[in-house]
Amino acid sequence: MKNFTHKKTYHPYISPLDPCPPIRTKTYSTPPHLYMGFQPENLEQFNPREALQAGTLWKAFYDPYYGPKEKGRGPNE
Amino acid sequence: MWIYEKKLQYPVKVRECNPRLAKYLIEQYGGADGELAAALRYLNQRYTIPDKVIGLLTDIGTEEFAHLEMIATMIYKLTKDATPEQLKAAGIEDHYVNHDNALFYQNAAGVPFTASYIQAKGDPIADLYEDIAAEEKARATYQWIIDMSDDPDLNDGLRFLREREIVHSQRFREAVELLKDERDRKKIF
Ligand SMILES: [Fe+2]
């Protein structure tokens, strides 16, 4: 179940004539639910307080997203 | 029928007066993949979907209104007491001219909300796939708003909302599994 990453990357074609400085690596989000199918039984839970904060009761679905201005705070960074 | 609890689903905090962030957030208020569209889409599809998943649409549709209320609170706080000059600097003076500080169901580009954002095809699989797509689009919109925002308190609330989109998408995916399931068909070998 844990054989996935929350982020994938790809490398778009860079033309010598692109006016903006190229972004060589693009990333996109691939949150855990994409890999889950039907939710299996007996998954690990947050305690109620943590669950309210996280937005989900289930640890397996927790995928916090942080912007470029707040880097390094998420498990998916 | 609904019962209203006079509190937000998740506390909304905003660090500073920032009308520009309000301009982005309005996308999730009255945009195509926003919370209003989501609530209305699911609560409307309930009538023409198999019994097994009606409750799910009711639950998620109801929760979307709780999200709408959070977004409204964020926008309200980000623009409360902002001067016309500040609104002008944020590029929303045209909103001010039309609405003062009032909220309006429109997207980030100022296009008013329209029912054509909400599909109802009557085919359960088609409708649920639309719902899954809507959740992923809302998740992406939250990412792009978080990318634009430097307000850590606001981002905390937005992260919560993004996580809820993930859970909703998961539940809609499970609904598709339920509806295509063949377990109750008699198998004779
Ligand atoms: Fe949702």
Side-chain angles (χ1 to χ4, degrees), chain B residues 2-3 7 15 23 40-41 43 53 66 71 73 90 96 98 109 111 131 137 147 152 164-165 170 176-178 183-184:
Chain B
W2 276 268
I3 292 170
K7 60 186 178 197
R15 193 150 291 189
K23 178 179 161 68
L40 298 180
R41 181 188 298 111
L43 293 176
V53 300
I71 297 289
T73 307
Y96 176 78
N98 198 353
V111 180
D131 301 346
K137 287 190 279 181
D147 286 352
R164 296 309 300 154
E165 310 299 358
Q170 167 70 17
V176 171
E177 296 303 312
L178 275 179
R183 246 181 307 191
D184 43 60

Side-chain angles (χ1 to χ4, degrees), chain B residues 35 38 42 60 63-64 67 134-135 138 142 161 164-166 168-169 172:
Chain B
E35 302 293 354
Y42 306 149
I60 296 184
E63 187 182 339
E64 304 295 5
H67 296 172
E135 294 295 335
Y142 282 121
L161 289 167
R164 296 309 300 154
E165 310 299 358
I166 289 176
H168 290 172
S169 173
F172 285 134

Side-chain angles (χ1 to χ4, degrees), chain B:
Chain B
M1 197 187 93
W2 276 268
I3 292 170
Y4 183 74
E5 263 193 75
K6 198 172 170 169
K7 60 186 178 197
L8 293 175
Q9 190 189 7
Y10 187 89
V12 165
K13 255 180 105 184
V14 159
R15 193 150 291 189
E16 56 183 1
C17 174
N18 190 339
R20 185 166 290 276
L21 285 177
K23 178 179 161 68
Y24 307 146
L25 275 171
I26 206 94
E27 184 66 33
Q28 281 303 81
Y29 194 63
D33 310 311
E35 302 293 354
L36 179 68
L40 298 180
R41 181 188 298 111
Y42 306 149
L43 293 176
N44 179 61
Q45 286 174 355
R46 292 184 293 167
Y47 299 95
T48 49
I49 207 137
D51 295 3
K52 296 187 208 189
V53 300
I54 293 175
L56 179 72
L57 286 171
T58 306
D59 287 353
I60 296 184
T62 301
E63 187 182 339
E64 304 295 5
F65 276 124
H67 296 172
L68 187 70
E69 197 179 34
M70 285 177 61
I71 297 289
T73 307
M74 288 171 175
I75 294 169
Y76 170 74
K77 288 192 181 201
L78 286 165
T79 55
K80 182 173 178 283
D81 306 320
T83 62
E85 285 68 39
Q86 282 176 301
L87 296 176
K88 193 170 178 192
I92 50 173
E93 69 272 30
D94 37 6
H95 180 96
Y96 176 78
V97 166
N98 198 353
H99 306 285
D100 187 22
N101 276 19
L103 277 72
F104 187 66
Y105 290 115
Q106 61 188 11
N107 72 9
V111 180
F113 182 82
T114 160
S116 58
Y117 291 156
I118 307 156
Q119 266 310 322
K121 192 51 73 177
D123 178 273
I125 301 300
D127 281 347
L128 284 170
Y129 271 78
E130 150 126 357
D131 301 346
I132 293 167
E135 294 295 335
E136 302 298 350
K137 287 190 279 181
R139 170 182 61 73
T141 307
Y142 282 121
Q143 290 165 199
W144 312 151
I145 299 172
I146 289 171
D147 286 352
M148 298 299 289
S149 159
D150 49 11
D151 185 327
D153 293 332
L154 182 77
N155 285 359
D156 185 57
L158 294 174
R159 250 189 298 282
F160 172 88
L161 289 167
R162 177 181 174 277
E163 182 66 38
R164 296 309 300 154
E165 310 299 358
I166 289 176
V167 174
H168 290 172
S169 173
Q170 167 70 17
R171 299 303 171 226
F172 285 134
R173 287 161 195 269
E174 288 170 352
V176 171
E177 296 303 312
L178 275 179
L179 295 191
K180 73 184 203 202
D181 186 43
E182 307 208 17
R183 246 181 307 191
D184 43 60
R185 205 179 66 181
K186 280 214 173 68
K187 285 200 183 96
I188 299 162
F189 296 101

